[in-house]
């Protein structure tokens, strides 16, 4: 007789090989065809809302791994919240204006924006942006991101632009918007002002120079010392034509220092030695000492222009580097501008939009500012005003788009006054839950220290600043009437209308200047900072869509958005609605390579998410997102992806084993009540509900690495390495409908049903695939796992006494496995069923194990197991973790059962089945 045909061997059509890259697109199409996103909302209709507002990526290229990390994290949260019983809509969005898109459009379309009609140029930018919206949309969907992809929000949509104008108008009405001459970050390549959020810092080589300013009026403080100079230190020689003063700290001690070269220099006393070393100066004498405040009003001559540079005071001057005497150019620095305003200094900016020196730069006019810097050094050297020069590498601001160094230059720009609502903003920050918690202080520090927000840009592709100018009196005009006119126009025709229509055609009929009564107007030419666009999305999206609400429950982006979207959204919201637009902010780190290095083209260490999806599947990328604490930078490499593929394989194989042993199990008719389950099955059920508790808490706290490791550990340690291994004999050899087998299947079904739900937010494709193949109870036969409810931990199954008992049994089992492996190495046995095990113990361990003796061979997967008291044979192994416990492994007695492979003395007890054991004879 072929006894193998009498075994209940696993049966399932669930594929062993995942083939994710081939299988996932079909699942994705099935989700779309069956409106699973809509059904996930319908199943929670009338339930509490959970709104995660999507920060819009730029529609200017394919997605990268940072996008993938961000969107997958959002998707995990939304799917979990949905399964937890929240109505959790997800509306994806795109930032479709601004320099990032304009620059790429110019580059890829070969457009000259100066020779193209503004409306036509904007059409090109719009088409370019919409093209990449569609490309990125497909790329995000391929990652398994669920959302309202048919109705995303775009910052270029007329209804968005109209709402943005209203936000701007409300800020203007409250007096927060003004035009002023201030130094701003300026990119000479992009020819526009930049906000702090558009600045990146990188190393930059520049000339560091010490420059002498001859003292012409010492206020009688120097006692007739001749050849006296103020010495400044700068790394921007090109700013010297704009010098208007020299600034000292009022509280720092300065010295008038005579060197061997016969010249006397005013230097901070604490910096004399470092200056002497840099300049190669020898012996010196400090002729006089002063507090900085004593030197206020001393006058020096500009090193190459015929004008004076007075000494002024500023507490921001430090002893970190330089001379303690700071070159002040109010037209080229924010602190210079602020201190210059206190002293009434001229704000001179001799650099034009493209970075060339103007006529105000004298002999350096017409030179590009970097070339002018070199010429200025030569000039200083020629007239003996250059004390020292050397090349240094230092961190310097660069444009985020073109990656070139930027400059500070004073220009007339539109600003939002942060001082007008700074304290309200700080109070709003304190009301938000920040994860990680350090986010609160980081944002508070930025708000406390930031300058007014430069919101104007000298570009074409964006939302125009809705300001009119009266031709008669020159006054700027913005009020409720003009804001309403522009907002209504944009809602109907979009912001292109601003560039296509005259001011008279936009303003209401009969409109007159509120300042002089004039009737002739022009329009502002600048557009808004793109951060004002996305920073208005809380109003333009959350307040205008029926499926959303304001404020959002959560914003989730990378930690770089403290300077960007988190902050711009906070500022526009506090300014117009007097509170934060979000209740909670969650931040993640950046993506780096396997060695922790930033990804870059020069290093060749970039990883394309589309390549990962093609080679491994989207679920592997989703698993990667949960593999480490995303609040830190996330490492990725081929090696890491291969390791994760193995993690995935073990989870998949666990699910496949569970399904394979449930082929004949009907949850409605075959499930057994808890009190009839075998004890080991009750233990497994307890471990499952402990897992549900741990995983649910981790999801609630957004600790996805805890989810990852808890489920993986459960599958490998609790299931594969122990429970499922022990269970095989009962599942395969007992009668199919026996209570013992049904007991095991009852728990296997419970485990599979819970695990697939807990996996769904992360392994979305695989969970859906498992859901299709697994059995379901009549009341739980739901179309998709993504509209199923979350598993609930049941405290009734948590039994501390049972846990303690099985912890001890598993500890003994671990020791027995070591002894079996030793016996296998010595060729005493092959398979563990060839072994009999004698355990020698005394005291409480003996009593405990003796009471469990009948189940030990099942737990050890040996043919026999006995508990003994007394002296163990010499060859017995001592347990490593249990004092006094010894294990003796020997060949099992009896013959091998042809059916179950257990060695038994009952082989042939049934004459009809001479080659199998008594137990197997009963089971067939």
């Amino acid at each position: 007789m072929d006894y193998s045909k009498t075994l209940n061997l696993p049966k399932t059509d669930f594929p062993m090989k995942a083939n994710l890259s081939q299988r996932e697109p079909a699942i994705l199409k099935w989700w779309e065809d069956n409106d699973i996103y809509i059904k996930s909302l319908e199943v929670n209709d009338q339930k509490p809302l959970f709104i995660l507002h999507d920060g819009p990526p730029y529609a200017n290229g394919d997605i990268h791994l940072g996008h993938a990390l961000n969107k997958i994290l959002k998707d995990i949260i939304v799917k979990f919240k949905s399964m937890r019983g929240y109505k959790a809509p997800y509306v994806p969005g795109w930032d479709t204006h601004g320099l990032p898109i304009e620059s790429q459009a110019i580059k890829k379309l070969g457009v000259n924006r100066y020779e193209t009609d503004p409306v036509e140029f904007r059409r090109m930018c719009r088409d370019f942006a919409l093209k990449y919206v569609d490309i990125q949309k497909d790329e995000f969907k391929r990652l398994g991101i669920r959302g309202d992809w048919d109705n995303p929000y775009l910052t270029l949509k007329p209804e968005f632009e109209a709402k943005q104008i209203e936000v701007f108008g409300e800020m203007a009405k409250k007096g927060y918007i003004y035009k002023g001459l201030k130094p701003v970050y300026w990119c000479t390549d992009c020819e526009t002002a930049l906000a702090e959020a558009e600045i990146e810092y990188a190393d930059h080589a520049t000339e560091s120079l010490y420059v002498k300013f001859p003292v012409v009026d010492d206020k009688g403080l120097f006692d007739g010392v001749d050849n006296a100079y103020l010495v400044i230190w700068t790394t921007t020689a090109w700013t010297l034509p704009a010098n208007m003063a020299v600034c000292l700290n009022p509280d720092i001690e300065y010295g008038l220092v005579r060197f061997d070269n016969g010249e006397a220099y005013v230097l901070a006393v604490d910096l004399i030695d470092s200056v002497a070393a840099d300049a190669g100066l020898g012996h010196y004498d400090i002729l006089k000492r002063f507090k900085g405040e004593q030197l206020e009003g001393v006058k020096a001559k500009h090193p190459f222009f015929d004008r004076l540079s007075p000494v002024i005071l500023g507490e921001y001057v430090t002893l970190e580097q330089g001379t303690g005497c700071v070159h002040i150019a109010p037209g080229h620095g924010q602190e210079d501008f602020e201190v210059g305003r206190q002293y009434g200094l001229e704000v001179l900016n001799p650099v034009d939009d493209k970075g060339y020196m103007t006529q105000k730069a004298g002999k350096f006019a017409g030179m590009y500012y970097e070339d002018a810097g070199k010429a200025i050094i030569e000039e200083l050297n020629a007239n003996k005003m250059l004390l020292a020069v050397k090349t240094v590498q230092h961190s310097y601001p660069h444009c985020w788009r073109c990656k070139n160094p930027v400059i500070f230059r004073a220009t007339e720009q539109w600003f939002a006054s942060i001082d007008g609502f700074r304290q309200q903003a700080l109070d709003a920050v304190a009301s938000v839950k920040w994860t990680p918690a350090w986010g609160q202080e980081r944002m508070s520090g930025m708000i406390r220290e930031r300058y007014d927000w430069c919101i104007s840009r000298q570009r074409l592709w964006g939302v125009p600043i809705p300001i009119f100018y009266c031709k008669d009196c020159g006054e700027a005009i913005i009020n409720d009437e003009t804001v309403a006119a522009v907002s209504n126009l944009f809602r109907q025709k979009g912001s292109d209308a601003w560039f296509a229509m005259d001011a008279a055609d936009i303003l209401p009929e009969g409109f007159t200047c509120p300042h002089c009564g004039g009737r002739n107007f022009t329009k502002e030419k600048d557009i808004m900072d793109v951060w004002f666009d996305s920073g208005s999305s809380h109003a333009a999206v959350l307040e205008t869509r029926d499926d959303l609400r304001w404020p959002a429950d959560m914003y989730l982006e990378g930690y770089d958005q403290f300077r960007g979207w988190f902050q711009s959204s906070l500022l526009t919201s506090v300014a117009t609605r007097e509170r934060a637009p979000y209740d909670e902010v969650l931040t993640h780190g950046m993506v780096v390579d396997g060695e922790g290095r930033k990804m870059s083209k020069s290093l060749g260490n970039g990883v394309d998410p589309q390549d990962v999806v093609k080679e491994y599947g989207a679920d592997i990328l989703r698993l990667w997102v949960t593999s480490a604490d995303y609040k830190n930078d996330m490492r990725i490499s081929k090696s890491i992806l291969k390791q994760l593929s193995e993690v995935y394989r073990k989870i998949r194989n666990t699910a496949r084993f569970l399904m394979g042993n449930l082929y004949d199990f009907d949850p409605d008719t075959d499930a057994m009540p808890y009190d009839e389950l075998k004890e080991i099955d009750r233990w497994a059920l307890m471990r499952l509900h402990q897992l549900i508790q741990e995983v649910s808490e981790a999801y609630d706290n957004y600790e996805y690495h805890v989810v990852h490791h808890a489920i993986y550990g459960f599958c490998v340690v609790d299931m594969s390495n122990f429970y499922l291994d022990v269970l095989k004999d009962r599942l395969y050899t007992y009668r199919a409908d026996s209570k013992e087998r049904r007991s095991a299947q009852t728990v296997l079904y419970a485990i599979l049903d819970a695990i697939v739900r807990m996996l769904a937010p992360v392994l979305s494709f695989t969970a859906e695939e498992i859901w299709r193949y697994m059995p379901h109870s009549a009341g739980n036969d739901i179309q998709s796992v993504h509209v199923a409810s979350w598993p609930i931990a049941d405290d009734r199954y948590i039994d501390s006494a049972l846990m303690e008992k099985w912890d001890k049994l598993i500890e003994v089992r671990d020791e027995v496995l070591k002894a079996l492996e030793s016996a296998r190495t010595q060729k005493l046995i092959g398979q563990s069923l060839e072994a009999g095990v004698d355990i020698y113990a005394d005291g409480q361990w003996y009593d405990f194990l003796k009471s469990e003796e009948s189940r030990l061979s099942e737990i050890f997967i040996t043919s026999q197991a006995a508990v003994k008291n007394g002296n163990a044979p010499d060859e017995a192994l001592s347990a490593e973790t249990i004092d006094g416990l010894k294990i003796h492994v020997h060949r099992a007695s009896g013959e091998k059962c042809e059916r179950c492979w257990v060695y038994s003395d009952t082989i042939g007890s049934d004459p009809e089945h001479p080659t199998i054991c008594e137990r197997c004879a009963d089971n067939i």
Side-chain angles (χ1 to χ4, degrees):
M1 184 176 181
D2 185 356
Y3 289 113
S4 65
K5 294 180 179 178
T6 70
L7 298 173
N8 311 306
L9 295 177
K11 298 175 187 175
T12 180
D13 292 329
F14 183 75
M16 178 181 293
K17 193 170 183 181
N19 285 326
L20 292 175
S21 57
Q22 288 80 41
R23 195 166 283 123
E24 288 172 342
I27 295 174
L28 191 61
K29 185 177 186 303
W30 184 85
W31 285 335
E32 293 177 356
D33 292 344
N34 289 276
D35 292 328
I36 298 303
Y37 170 68
I38 299 299
K39 289 174 180 174
S40 73
L41 298 177
E42 291 174 346
V43 76
N44 289 316
D45 199 30
Q46 306 305 315
K47 300 280 184 68
L49 274 172
F50 177 82
I51 305 298
L52 191 159
H53 182 39
D54 188 35
Y58 291 108
N60 67 333
D62 292 294
I63 69 169
H64 52 66
L65 270 177
H67 291 126
L69 170 63
N70 178 259
K71 281 295 197 285
I72 290 170
L73 282 171
K74 291 173 180 174
D75 192 54
I76 290 171
I77 291 173
V78 170
K79 284 174 177 170
F80 168 70
K81 290 292 185 180
S82 177
M83 295 179 78
R84 268 293 212 192
Y86 289 88
K87 189 174 184 180
Y90 176 66
V91 178
W94 274 275
D95 220 335
T96 47
H97 285 141
L99 189 56
I101 288 148
E102 189 173 326
S103 297
Q104 287 297 313
I106 291 171
K107 179 181 177 182
K108 294 188 177 182
L109 299 177
V111 180
N112 185 330
R113 72 183 178 105
Y114 302 105
E115 298 176 359
T116 307
D117 175 75
V119 175
E120 174 61 17
F121 178 75
R122 285 171 57 85
R123 183 194 64 77
M124 294 177 179
C125 290
R126 177 183 295 101
D127 291 347
F128 181 87
L130 291 175
K131 169 188 171 182
Y132 276 100
V133 165
D134 288 339
I135 289 172
Q136 290 188 9
K137 183 189 299 182
D138 288 341
E139 291 171 339
F140 285 135
K141 288 165 69 175
R142 180 62 186 87
L143 297 177
I145 313 301
R146 188 178 77 197
D148 193 357
W149 295 108
D150 293 334
N151 300 289
Y153 80 84
L154 309 178
T155 59
L156 58 71
K157 284 187 175 181
E159 59 269 24
F160 189 107
E161 295 176 327
K163 195 70 175 178
Q164 182 177 333
I165 292 297
E166 292 173 9
V167 171
F168 184 93
E170 185 64 23
M171 291 179 68
K173 185 177 181 179
K174 292 183 176 182
Y176 298 148
I177 304 295
Y178 69 93
K179 193 172 190 178
L181 176 68
K182 282 187 177 184
V184 294
Y185 289 112
W186 186 275
C187 179
T188 58
D189 185 66
C190 300
E191 297 178 44
T192 186
L194 299 174
E196 288 181 41
E198 297 167 316
I199 295 299
E200 297 176 348
Y201 283 84
D203 284 344
H204 180 61
T206 187
E207 300 305 310
S208 160
L209 52 155
Y210 293 92
V211 181
K212 300 186 296 185
F213 282 60
V215 174
V216 294
D217 180 0
D218 64 9
K219 290 175 47 182
L221 295 172
F222 294 177
D223 294 340
V225 173
D226 57 357
N227 281 340
Y229 301 86
L230 302 173
V231 178
I232 64 94
W233 173 81
T234 183
T235 58
T236 52
W238 60 270
T239 64
L240 284 169
N243 174 272
M244 290 294 157
V246 176
C247 189
L248 278 60
N249 187 304
D251 299 319
I252 287 177
E253 184 180 32
Y254 290 84
L256 180 62
V257 188
R258 175 79 74 187
F259 286 90
D260 287 348
N261 63 3
E263 295 179 340
Y265 306 138
V266 175
L267 303 168
V269 170
D270 289 350
L271 294 172
I272 295 172
D273 289 337
S274 63
V275 173
D278 284 347
L281 299 171
H283 176 75
Y284 64 83
D285 292 309
I286 301 177
L287 304 179
K288 299 203 70 173
R289 294 173 183 261
F290 311 92
K291 282 288 187 181
E293 62 185 358
Q294 296 174 260
L295 296 170
E296 183 179 22
V298 167
K299 293 182 175 61
K301 184 179 180 300
H302 190 283
F304 50 79
F305 283 156
D306 187 17
R307 65 169 180 256
L308 298 179
S309 293
V311 170
I312 62 176
L313 302 178
E315 293 182 354
Y316 70 91
V317 177
T318 71
L319 297 172
E320 290 182 8
Q321 55 190 355
T323 66
C325 304
V326 175
H327 144 58
I328 297 297
H332 291 308
Q334 184 65 40
E335 290 173 327
D336 295 25
F337 176 83
E338 296 293 345
V339 73
R341 185 163 60 178
Q342 295 173 24
Y343 283 88
L345 300 179
E346 179 186 353
V347 180
L348 176 63
N349 168 31
V351 183
D352 69 14
D353 291 0
K354 295 184 178 181
Y356 288 89
M357 308 302 282
T358 67
Q359 293 302 315
K360 294 179 180 178
K363 66 170 65 176
F364 309 108
M367 297 182 182
Y368 188 60
Y369 78 93
E370 289 180 331
D371 298 326
K374 297 173 184 176
I376 287 167
I377 292 174
E378 292 177 1
E379 174 78 6
L380 291 169
N381 195 42
N383 63 18
K384 301 189 185 320
M385 291 296 129
L386 183 65
L387 184 60
V389 62
K390 67 176 181 179
T391 302
V392 295
Q393 283 273 352
H394 65 132
S395 182
Y396 190 82
H398 287 64
C399 173
W400 66 327
R401 296 315 309 167
C402 67
K403 308 302 180 185
N404 290 320
V406 300
I407 63 174
F408 253 106
R409 63 188 292 264
T411 60
E412 277 208 331
Q413 301 288 337
W414 285 98
F415 294 89
S417 171
I418 307 304
D419 280 340
F421 54 92
R422 191 184 305 274
Q423 188 55 52
Q424 283 178 284
L426 290 170
D427 293 342
V429 170
S431 72
V432 173
K433 179 182 178 183
W434 300 88
T435 304
W438 52 255
Q440 178 175 341
E441 182 50 40
R442 183 168 187 175
M443 181 61 87
S444 295
M446 288 182 170
I447 298 295
R448 276 193 296 267
E449 299 299 324
R450 75 160 293 152
Y451 299 113
D452 286 350
W453 178 6
C454 177
I455 55 175
S456 50
R457 295 292 179 273
Q458 292 66 48
R459 306 295 295 197
L460 279 172
W461 181 231
V463 177
I465 291 179
I467 303 285
F468 297 90
Y469 297 96
C470 177
K471 285 185 177 180
D472 296 325
C473 68
E475 289 289 340
I477 303 166
I478 181 171
N479 57 33
D480 288 348
E481 195 176 1
T482 64
V483 168
V486 176
S487 177
N488 291 334
L489 175 68
F490 285 9
R491 188 173 282 108
Q492 295 169 14
K493 298 184 177 181
S495 61
D496 279 356
W498 183 267
F499 298 89
M501 299 170 65
D502 292 333
D505 298 325
I506 298 173
L507 290 166
E509 187 174 351
F511 182 83
T512 58
C513 173
H515 304 288
C516 73
R519 294 177 176 271
N520 299 304
F521 306 96
T522 59
K523 300 169 296 181
E524 173 62 60
K525 294 180 180 179
D526 288 353
I527 63 170
M528 290 190 217
D529 174 15
V530 71
W531 291 105
F532 201 100
D533 289 27
S534 58
S536 302
S537 65
H538 63 88
V541 180
L542 300 181
E543 290 184 345
T544 61
R545 293 182 60 131
D546 293 338
D547 54 339
L548 303 176
R549 63 148 161 74
W550 190 98
D553 291 286
M554 174 178 283
Y555 276 30
L556 164 57
E557 303 298 331
Y559 57 64
D560 56 335
Q561 292 307 311
F562 280 98
R563 290 195 308 148
W565 191 55
F566 294 157
Q567 189 173 149
S568 64
S569 299
L570 179 82
L571 295 176
T572 60
S573 182
V574 170
T576 60
R577 285 145 177 81
E578 299 183 349
R579 65 149 288 169
Y582 37 69
D583 290 334
E584 183 171 4
V585 171
L586 186 62
T587 57
H588 61 78
M590 302 294 107
V591 180
V592 295
D593 69 10
E595 297 177 22
R597 300 175 300 176
K598 183 179 178 180
M599 292 184 173
S600 68
K601 290 181 180 179
S602 60
L603 290 174
N605 60 347
V607 178
D608 188 331
Q610 302 306 312
D611 291 341
V612 176
V613 169
K614 288 174 186 175
E615 184 173 355
Y616 298 96
D619 266 358
I620 300 301
L621 200 55
R622 296 177 70 93
L623 192 63
W624 164 73
V625 170
T626 66
S627 63
D629 188 352
Y630 62 83
K631 293 185 283 295
N632 302 313
D633 288 346
M634 291 285 291
R635 297 189 178 207
I636 192 168
S637 65
K638 286 191 174 182
S639 173
I640 290 171
L641 290 169
K642 286 179 180 178
Q643 292 170 21
L644 288 168
S645 296
E646 183 62 20
V647 170
Y648 172 85
R649 186 185 67 81
K650 290 182 178 180
I651 293 173
R652 184 182 182 91
N653 284 349
T654 300
R656 188 171 188 274
F657 180 90
L658 297 173
M659 281 182 280
N661 286 285
L662 292 170
Y663 67 89
D664 62 343
F665 180 78
D666 183 337
D668 292 317
T669 59
D670 297 330
M672 293 182 62
Y674 177 76
D675 56 4
E676 294 182 24
L677 298 177
K678 284 179 67 70
E679 189 176 287
I680 190 173
D681 298 328
R682 294 204 304 273
W683 170 86
L685 193 61
M686 175 176 61
R687 282 294 299 119
L688 171 65
H689 282 266
Q690 288 174 327
L691 177 72
I692 294 172
Q693 284 180 337
E694 181 181 7
V695 168
S696 299
E697 184 178 346
Y699 269 114
D700 280 333
N701 294 326
Y702 314 112
E703 298 281 353
Y704 303 123
H705 61 294
V706 174
V707 173
H708 177 108
H709 295 292
I711 292 178
Y712 176 67
F714 179 80
C715 288
V716 173
V717 178
D718 292 325
M719 294 293 102
S720 297
N721 291 354
F722 174 54
Y723 181 62
L724 300 183
D725 206 19
V726 169
L727 223 54
K728 288 175 183 175
D729 179 71
R730 187 158 31 119
L731 288 169
Y732 300 169
T733 69
Y734 281 60
R735 285 196 326 275
D737 61 351
S738 66
K739 285 188 175 182
E740 293 86 354
R741 187 164 178 271
R742 292 304 190 206
S743 174
Q745 288 180 309
T746 298
V747 174
L748 293 186
Y749 172 74
I751 291 170
L752 180 61
D753 187 61
I755 286 283
V756 69
R757 296 166 193 255
M758 290 189 287
L759 286 174
V762 179
L763 298 180
S764 295
F765 292 99
T766 302
E768 190 69 84
E769 188 184 2
I770 293 170
W771 190 259
R772 293 178 183 178
Y773 284 94
M774 66 179 282
H776 297 284
S777 61
N780 194 33
D781 194 11
I782 300 168
Q783 183 181 22
S784 167
V785 69
H786 294 293
V787 293
S789 60
W790 192 254
I792 304 299
D794 193 333
D795 290 339
R796 292 176 301 171
Y797 300 145
I798 310 299
D799 183 335
S800 58
L802 183 66
M803 191 70 197
E804 183 180 355
K805 176 179 179 179
W806 279 88
D807 282 348
K808 292 169 72 175
L809 287 171
I810 292 170
E811 185 179 9
V812 173
R813 180 179 187 266
D814 290 342
E815 294 292 348
V816 169
L817 292 182
K818 296 172 190 174
L820 290 171
E821 184 58 35
S822 175
R824 195 175 288 115
T825 302
Q826 297 171 29
K827 309 295 185 184
L828 178 63
I829 61 168
Q831 299 293 330
S832 63
L833 286 173
E834 295 176 11
V837 175
D838 295 331
I839 299 179
Y840 291 83
D842 51 28
Q844 291 182 345
W845 273 107
Y846 174 80
D847 294 339
F848 169 70
L849 292 172
K850 196 65 178 177
S851 67
E852 301 295 325
E853 189 172 39
S854 62
R855 74 167 96 239
L856 293 181
S857 60
E858 175 191 5
I859 297 172
F860 301 158
I861 315 180
T862 57
S863 289
Q864 293 108 36
V867 179
K868 299 183 177 182
N869 197 348
N871 294 325
D874 292 341
E875 60 270 23
L877 293 182
S878 295
E880 295 178 8
T881 62
I882 304 171
D883 291 339
L885 193 76
K886 292 193 174 182
I887 302 158
H888 177 232
V889 177
H890 56 83
R891 292 284 303 184
S893 63
E895 298 178 47
K896 180 179 180 180
C897 174
E898 184 181 335
R899 183 172 180 271
C900 70
W901 295 5
V902 171
Y903 284 75
S904 172
D905 294 327
T906 67
I907 303 298
S909 58
D910 185 336
E912 293 185 16
H913 302 286
T915 60
I916 65 175
C917 66
E918 182 178 15
R919 186 189 63 166
C920 282
D922 290 342
N923 282 324
I924 63 172

